[in-house]
Amino acid sequence: MKFQNIALAALASTALVAVAGQAFAAPKTLKWAHVYEVSEPYHTCAVAASDLLAQATGDRYNIEVFPASSLGKEVDINEGLGLGTVDIIYTGQLFAGRAYGPIAIGGAPFMFRDYDHWDKYRNSDLFADMAKGYEDASGNHITSMTYYGQRHVTSNVEIKTPADMENLKIRVPNAPLYMMFPQAVDANPTPIAFAEVYLALQQGTVDAQENPLPTIQAKKFYEVQDYITLTGHISDALMTIVGGPTWGSMTAEDQEALDKVLDQTAECASEQIIQKEADLVQWFKDNGVTVNEVDRTPFREATMKLHNGADATWDQETYDRLQAIN
């Protein structure tokens, strides 16, 4: 009986240690990688998401954010999702389109009439269908869309009409659809990694680049460019994507919690970008940059001819569904 009591006590002690170990287990830290600066809303809102996720999951998960291409360029972090070297990323729609072509349509130039059209698209059945198609193709899970802003052209030559862009060497991200707008206006699109753009502009490797106003400010492109032309040629967005290995390892409860936190994060950044867009035209003027508003109609008309051409990664039905969104 004495030995039996000792054995039972030892067993109880082992069980207590096991339970205690589970109760005090360190949270799993998810790596969130992106290519943007620490000053930008994408980063600051992502950092704030860590505490939100810890609260939502009872401290089972938190997030560490790696900004400014510190875990690799955009192509690298997209590849890292499937390898499990990163857990969450921001990425452009055209990069996601490498895995599932139709989803790139939202990043094509002059695809949306205005912000309202874009906002309704991201909450549409069409986008839900394409997110499912992307997940089936890549194994990775899209949770959210963040407004990135309207993309405009910066340059060291003044641009007022499409003819002014002829032969202009303009930096674009390394994804084919970013080349559609420059090609439509007879410019020369030149893919350069995001982290290398400032130096390329400074050294004259390229004459121009295109990005939203908040990015132009954050990356200080205005220091090496004389003009901003408000072409608004892409109403751009970032997708928040969770890698398949990470998503598959989570319980349904924790998946739902992460989904909600990442949606909150997308709204956090989107609201700040909308406000910054409204404020920055005057800020650039105050800092000596010439900001030109132009008639976008000829730029749009030149580009729309290419919407369903050789570079389209979507079919006519998808295009028509998007254009029919009111």
Side-chain angles (χ1 to χ4, degrees), residues 43-309:
H43 179 73
T44 55
C45 291
V47 170
S50 183
D51 286 344
L52 295 175
L53 185 61
Q55 293 168 12
T57 61
D59 288 323
R60 289 187 295 278
Y61 289 91
N62 59 26
I63 294 169
E64 184 176 2
V65 187
F66 295 85
S69 305
S70 55
L71 290 186
K73 299 171 185 175
E74 192 136 15
V75 172
D76 302 321
I77 62 176
N78 272 271
E79 291 175 352
L81 285 175
L83 298 173
T85 53
V86 297
D87 302 296
I88 308 169
I89 66 168
Y90 285 128
T91 195
Q93 295 161 101
L94 305 193
F95 286 92
R98 293 180 174 190
Y100 181 67
I103 207 164
I105 193 171
F110 294 112
M111 190 57 67
F112 297 102
R113 295 182 295 275
D114 49 29
Y115 173 84
D116 185 61
H117 187 196
W118 172 83
D119 190 43
K120 287 177 177 173
Y121 162 71
R122 70 166 167 164
N123 294 302
S124 68
D125 290 341
L126 172 60
F127 181 71
D129 290 346
M130 290 198 292
K132 177 65 165 58
Y134 170 83
E135 185 163 3
D136 290 344
S138 69
N140 304 318
H141 179 75
I142 297 171
T143 68
S144 320
M145 285 261 278
T146 301
Y147 182 59
Y148 188 65
Q150 285 196 324
R151 298 180 80 99
H152 306 291
V153 175
T154 72
S155 61
N156 284 321
V157 296
E158 193 162 22
I159 297 168
K160 292 188 175 179
T161 69
D164 295 327
M165 293 187 69
E166 186 174 352
N167 296 322
L168 188 73
K169 187 178 283 188
I170 180 170
R171 178 270 171 181
V172 294
N174 187 18
L177 283 175
Y178 281 115
M179 301 181 195
M180 184 182 287
F181 171 60
Q183 288 170 342
V185 294
D186 296 321
N188 293 324
T190 306
I192 295 174
F194 195 45
E196 300 165 11
V197 177
Y198 185 98
L199 188 62
L201 293 169
Q202 187 179 51
Q203 294 181 341
T205 306
V206 290
D207 308 305
Q209 67 86 45
E210 49 82 59
N211 260 298
L213 298 181
T215 304
I216 294 167
Q217 182 193 44
K219 285 290 190 179
K220 302 186 185 301
F221 296 148
Y222 63 93
E223 294 181 346
V224 288
Q225 299 272 264
D226 296 328
Y227 299 96
I228 297 175
T229 305
L230 300 178
T231 51
H233 53 278
I234 296 178
S235 296
D236 213 354
L238 300 179
M239 293 180 174
T240 308
I241 306 179
V242 181
T246 301
W247 187 254
S249 71
M250 301 178 78
T251 65
E253 179 186 9
D254 287 338
Q255 286 177 346
E256 182 179 1
L258 180 59
D259 228 337
K260 287 182 178 178
V261 166
L262 296 181
D263 281 348
Q264 288 177 269
T265 304
E267 289 307 312
C268 168
S270 295
E271 289 171 5
Q272 292 183 52
I273 293 299
I274 290 167
Q275 186 59 51
K276 286 174 77 70
E277 279 192 313
D279 297 339
L280 277 174
V281 169
Q282 189 58 49
W283 186 91
F284 283 117
K285 290 179 179 179
D286 293 343
N287 279 272
V289 182
T290 300
V291 181
N292 286 328
E293 294 190 31
V294 294
D295 179 4
R296 297 179 187 178
T297 303
F299 294 93
R300 174 187 289 276
E301 289 177 347
T303 306
M304 289 184 71
K305 296 174 185 177
L306 305 182
H307 273 180
N308 293 302

